[in-house]
Short mmCIF file of all heavy atoms in Angstrom, two decimals:
data_model
loop_
_atom_site.label_atom_id
_atom_site.label_comp_id
_atom_site.label_asym_id
_atom_site.label_seq_id
_atom_site.Cartn_x
_atom_site.Cartn_y
_atom_site.Cartn_z
N ARG K 15 152.79 162.59 101.48
CA ARG K 15 153.48 162.00 100.38
C ARG K 15 154.57 162.98 99.92
O ARG K 15 155.21 162.73 98.89
CB ARG K 15 152.47 161.76 99.20
CG ARG K 15 151.36 160.83 99.69
CD ARG K 15 150.70 160.16 98.46
NE ARG K 15 150.40 161.08 97.44
CZ ARG K 15 149.28 161.74 97.42
NH1 ARG K 15 148.42 161.67 98.29
NH2 ARG K 15 148.94 162.58 96.40
N LEU K 82 134.99 150.25 83.55
CA LEU K 82 134.03 151.16 84.11
C LEU K 82 134.65 152.38 84.69
O LEU K 82 134.11 153.48 84.34
CB LEU K 82 133.21 150.43 85.25
CG LEU K 82 132.26 149.34 84.87
CD1 LEU K 82 131.48 148.88 86.11
CD2 LEU K 82 131.22 149.82 83.80
N LYS K 96 116.21 157.56 93.97
CA LYS K 96 115.97 156.21 94.59
C LYS K 96 116.58 155.07 93.76
O LYS K 96 115.93 154.05 93.61
CB LYS K 96 114.51 156.02 94.82
CG LYS K 96 113.81 157.10 95.63
CD LYS K 96 114.44 157.26 96.95
CE LYS K 96 113.78 158.32 97.75
NZ LYS K 96 114.38 158.69 99.03
N PHE K 120 133.17 142.90 87.72
CA PHE K 120 134.16 143.80 87.12
C PHE K 120 135.42 143.74 87.99
O PHE K 120 135.42 144.16 89.20
CB PHE K 120 133.64 145.19 87.05
CG PHE K 120 132.44 145.28 86.13
CD1 PHE K 120 131.15 145.30 86.69
CD2 PHE K 120 132.57 145.37 84.76
CE1 PHE K 120 130.02 145.38 85.83
CE2 PHE K 120 131.50 145.46 83.93
CZ PHE K 120 130.21 145.43 84.48
N VAL K 129 140.44 154.37 99.79
CA VAL K 129 139.36 155.17 99.16
C VAL K 129 138.87 156.15 100.22
O VAL K 129 138.71 155.83 101.41
CB VAL K 129 138.24 154.24 98.71
CG1 VAL K 129 137.13 155.07 98.08
CG2 VAL K 129 138.73 153.15 97.71
N GLY K 151 127.04 141.09 102.57
CA GLY K 151 126.59 140.53 101.28
C GLY K 151 127.67 140.12 100.40
O GLY K 151 127.48 139.12 99.56
N ASP K 155 135.47 140.78 105.30
CA ASP K 155 135.81 140.98 106.70
C ASP K 155 135.87 142.47 106.96
O ASP K 155 136.15 143.30 106.07
CB ASP K 155 137.18 140.37 107.07
CG ASP K 155 137.38 140.41 108.51
OD1 ASP K 155 136.99 139.47 109.25
OD2 ASP K 155 138.05 141.37 109.04
N GLU K 210 124.40 177.39 84.88
CA GLU K 210 125.47 178.38 84.46
C GLU K 210 126.81 177.98 84.90
O GLU K 210 127.80 178.52 84.27
CB GLU K 210 125.03 179.77 85.01
CG GLU K 210 123.73 180.29 84.42
CD GLU K 210 123.24 181.62 85.08
OE1 GLU K 210 123.94 182.02 85.97
OE2 GLU K 210 122.22 182.12 84.67
N ASP K 221 140.67 169.34 88.17
CA ASP K 221 141.87 169.76 88.92
C ASP K 221 142.10 169.09 90.23
O ASP K 221 143.20 168.73 90.55
CB ASP K 221 141.67 171.33 89.18
CG ASP K 221 141.68 172.14 87.93
OD1 ASP K 221 142.03 171.67 86.88
OD2 ASP K 221 141.32 173.36 88.03
N ASP K 227 146.32 163.23 92.44
CA ASP K 227 146.92 162.19 91.63
C ASP K 227 146.10 160.87 91.89
O ASP K 227 146.61 159.74 92.20
CB ASP K 227 148.37 161.95 91.96
CG ASP K 227 149.01 160.95 91.03
OD1 ASP K 227 148.58 160.81 89.92
OD2 ASP K 227 150.02 160.24 91.47
N PHE K 247 122.78 161.27 78.71
CA PHE K 247 123.36 162.32 79.51
C PHE K 247 122.67 163.67 79.28
O PHE K 247 123.00 164.61 80.07
CB PHE K 247 124.96 162.43 79.16
CG PHE K 247 125.68 161.52 80.07
CD1 PHE K 247 126.06 160.24 79.66
CD2 PHE K 247 126.10 161.98 81.33
CE1 PHE K 247 126.80 159.40 80.49
CE2 PHE K 247 126.77 161.12 82.14
CZ PHE K 247 127.15 159.87 81.77
N ASP K 248 121.76 163.74 78.35
CA ASP K 248 120.99 165.04 78.11
C ASP K 248 120.07 165.16 79.35
O ASP K 248 119.56 166.32 79.66
CB ASP K 248 120.20 164.97 76.84
CG ASP K 248 121.07 165.08 75.62
OD1 ASP K 248 122.21 165.55 75.72
OD2 ASP K 248 120.66 164.64 74.56
N ASP K 272 109.95 151.59 91.44
CA ASP K 272 110.57 151.26 92.71
C ASP K 272 110.62 149.78 92.90
O ASP K 272 109.64 149.07 92.63
CB ASP K 272 109.74 151.91 93.77
CG ASP K 272 109.88 153.40 93.85
OD1 ASP K 272 110.75 153.98 93.11
OD2 ASP K 272 109.22 154.04 94.67
N GLU K 277 119.02 149.54 85.73
CA GLU K 277 119.70 149.53 84.41
C GLU K 277 120.81 150.45 84.45
O GLU K 277 120.62 151.67 84.80
CB GLU K 277 118.77 149.86 83.30
CG GLU K 277 119.45 149.83 81.86
CD GLU K 277 118.51 150.30 80.80
OE1 GLU K 277 117.36 150.69 81.13
OE2 GLU K 277 118.95 150.29 79.62
N SER K 280 126.92 152.47 80.73
CA SER K 280 128.32 153.05 80.90
C SER K 280 128.81 153.71 79.62
O SER K 280 128.55 153.20 78.52
CB SER K 280 129.24 151.91 81.35
OG SER K 280 130.29 151.75 80.51
N ARG K 288 128.42 150.32 77.13
CA ARG K 288 127.81 149.02 77.49
C ARG K 288 126.61 149.29 78.39
O ARG K 288 126.51 150.30 79.07
CB ARG K 288 128.79 148.09 78.17
CG ARG K 288 129.10 148.44 79.62
CD ARG K 288 129.84 147.32 80.31
NE ARG K 288 131.26 147.26 79.91
CZ ARG K 288 132.02 146.20 80.18
NH1 ARG K 288 131.45 145.13 80.79
NH2 ARG K 288 133.27 146.21 79.79
N PHE K 290 124.18 147.12 81.28
CA PHE K 290 123.98 145.97 82.15
C PHE K 290 123.00 146.27 83.14
O PHE K 290 122.55 147.35 83.35
CB PHE K 290 125.29 145.52 82.72
CG PHE K 290 126.03 146.49 83.61
CD1 PHE K 290 125.86 146.59 84.98
CD2 PHE K 290 126.93 147.39 83.04
CE1 PHE K 290 126.51 147.56 85.73
CE2 PHE K 290 127.59 148.36 83.75
CZ PHE K 290 127.40 148.43 85.12
N LEU K 292 121.47 145.49 87.25
CA LEU K 292 121.79 145.18 88.62
C LEU K 292 120.50 145.00 89.52
O LEU K 292 119.50 145.65 89.20
CB LEU K 292 122.71 146.25 89.29
CG LEU K 292 124.04 146.55 88.56
CD1 LEU K 292 124.60 147.82 89.25
CD2 LEU K 292 125.02 145.37 88.75
N SER K 306 123.42 141.10 85.66
CA SER K 306 123.08 140.46 84.34
C SER K 306 123.52 141.34 83.16
O SER K 306 123.33 142.52 83.24
CB SER K 306 121.53 140.18 84.22
OG SER K 306 121.24 139.68 82.98
N ASN K 323 111.65 148.53 103.16
CA ASN K 323 110.32 148.52 103.47
C ASN K 323 109.60 147.45 102.73
O ASN K 323 108.42 147.63 102.36
CB ASN K 323 109.66 149.94 103.22
CG ASN K 323 109.82 150.34 101.81
OD1 ASN K 323 110.50 149.64 101.03
ND2 ASN K 323 109.29 151.46 101.41
N LYS K 331 99.76 145.78 99.71
CA LYS K 331 99.15 145.13 98.61
C LYS K 331 98.01 144.22 98.98
O LYS K 331 97.17 143.91 98.18
CB LYS K 331 100.27 144.34 97.76
CG LYS K 331 101.19 145.17 97.04
CD LYS K 331 102.22 144.31 96.28
CE LYS K 331 103.14 145.16 95.47
NZ LYS K 331 104.22 144.40 94.74
N ALA K 332 97.98 143.75 100.28
CA ALA K 332 97.05 142.85 100.72
C ALA K 332 95.82 143.49 101.34
O ALA K 332 94.86 142.80 101.82
CB ALA K 332 97.65 141.91 101.76
N PRO K 365 98.73 156.95 92.16
CA PRO K 365 97.97 158.19 92.31
C PRO K 365 96.51 158.10 91.66
O PRO K 365 95.59 158.60 92.30
CB PRO K 365 98.78 159.18 91.50
CG PRO K 365 100.21 158.76 91.65
CD PRO K 365 100.10 157.21 91.60
N ILE K 393 88.53 166.07 106.73
CA ILE K 393 87.53 166.62 107.71
C ILE K 393 87.40 165.62 108.83
O ILE K 393 87.11 164.43 108.64
CB ILE K 393 86.16 166.74 106.97
CG1 ILE K 393 86.23 167.66 105.79
CG2 ILE K 393 85.09 167.15 108.01
CD1 ILE K 393 84.92 167.73 105.00
#
Side-chain angles (χ1 to χ4, degrees):
R15 302 200 314 274
L82 290 184
K96 308 302 181 186
F120 298 99
V129 181
D155 189 87
E210 299 174 355
D221 292 349
D227 190 26
F247 271 95
D248 292 336
D272 288 353
E277 180 185 4
S280 120
R288 73 167 76 196
F290 57 93
L292 302 169
S306 174
N323 57 356
K331 290 182 179 180
I393 299 175

